Amino acid sequence: MFTMEELEQYAQGCRECRLHKKRTNLVFGEGVTNTVLMFVGEAPGADEDRLGKPFVGKAGQLLTKALTALDFERSKNYYITNICKCRPENNRTPTEDEAEACLPFLRRQVLLIKPKIIVCLGATAAKYIIDRNSRISDIRGQWFERKGYYLIATFHPAALLRDESKKRLMWDDLKKVKAKYDEILKEL
Ligand code: URA
């Protein structure tokens, strides 16, 4: 079994799909690796590609602000990554073959971290983690229990930048995550 550092090093050389050709940086993931809480987004945007870190652009800053308000800190209690580790040009949705090529990295990250809660940020993460045919507006805010993981989806923070009315719903979802997190920590 790889350590997270070894897995990242291996990923840095990945050429499994066309996205490697245009990357500035592969964005592997960031945060605490012995944690119960993991967030998964879609794929890096321009800022993430430039800096090599997930969720550091405008959408990421919005998410980080909401998480901080719930006392979730990247350096303290969660890990965050994406379905695809390389940026699709013009921030298009990753294709199925790009997602499939990258999913083995996410599966290994999950095996290493062993989170109890996995939060899917947006439709792409929900599709590959919860249900291939799901609609984000139908399943968001609901818990799914699979193989000992609690799974939940909420809107992608970029969707909140386009539609302010989603902020309230995402906040409700994140409060559910916080309640579950507190409950799990009490049991540990
Ligand atoms: N959007 C994502 O889905 N992931 C990032 O890392 C940044 C923006």
Side-chain angles (χ1 to χ4, degrees):
M1 186 78 171
F2 286 117
T3 64
M4 195 64 97
E5 290 73 27
E6 286 165 345
L7 187 61
E8 172 159 11
Q9 220 165 31
Y10 181 75
Q12 291 297 341
C14 180
R15 291 171 180 210
E16 285 294 317
C17 83
R18 62 184 84 77
L19 297 182
H20 81 272
K21 290 187 192 154
K22 290 192 179 158
R23 71 178 172 228
T24 311
N25 285 293
L26 179 139
V27 180
F28 186 69
E30 191 176 51
V32 184
T33 53
N34 62 332
T35 178
V36 301
L37 180 59
M38 191 164 170
F39 291 88
V40 183
E42 178 175 299
D47 293 312
E48 291 78 16
D49 174 71
R50 186 166 49 83
L51 297 168
K53 291 171 189 279
F55 286 97
V56 288
K58 225 172 160 193
Q61 286 167 29
L62 182 64
L63 174 72
T64 302
K65 209 168 134 189
L67 295 182
T68 303
L70 293 166
D71 208 20
F72 289 142
E73 299 289 342
R74 208 178 277 203
S75 60
K76 201 171 84 187
N77 44 21
Y78 68 87
Y79 188 83
I80 188 162
T81 185
N82 287 297
I83 295 286
C84 282
K85 311 303 193 214
C86 297
R87 183 189 182 211
E89 69 282 359
N90 305 318
N91 300 340
R92 64 167 171 77
T93 305
T95 61
E96 295 217 353
D97 60 317
E98 288 160 355
E100 291 295 350
C102 218
L103 278 170
F105 288 123
L106 180 64
R107 292 194 189 104
R108 288 195 173 86
Q109 285 172 308
V110 170
L111 289 175
L112 284 164
I113 293 169
K114 302 186 195 75
K116 301 266 188 241
I117 303 169
I118 301 177
V119 184
C120 302
L121 299 167
T124 297
K127 172 176 172 179
Y128 292 103
I129 295 173
I130 299 178
D131 181 351
R132 296 273 165 153
N133 301 309
S134 62
R135 286 167 53 95
I136 186 74
S137 44
D138 293 339
I139 65 159
R140 58 147 280 276
Q142 294 176 43
W143 288 109
F144 297 85
E145 277 187 65
R146 299 250 181 88
K147 298 182 189 166
Y149 302 109
Y150 291 105
L151 312 177
I152 194 169
T154 190
F155 293 118
H156 192 285
L160 275 55
L161 295 171
R162 295 189 292 267
D163 178 359
E164 284 260 322
S165 71
K166 293 196 165 99
K167 274 192 183 171
R168 164 97 233 155
L169 297 171
M170 187 196 221
W171 183 243
D172 289 345
D173 299 341
L174 292 178
K175 280 193 295 188
K176 284 190 191 174
V177 172
K178 172 71 171 166
K180 181 73 84 186
Y181 176 89
D182 287 345
E183 191 186 305
I184 288 169
L185 281 208
K186 249 189 248 157
E187 285 167 6
L188 285 183

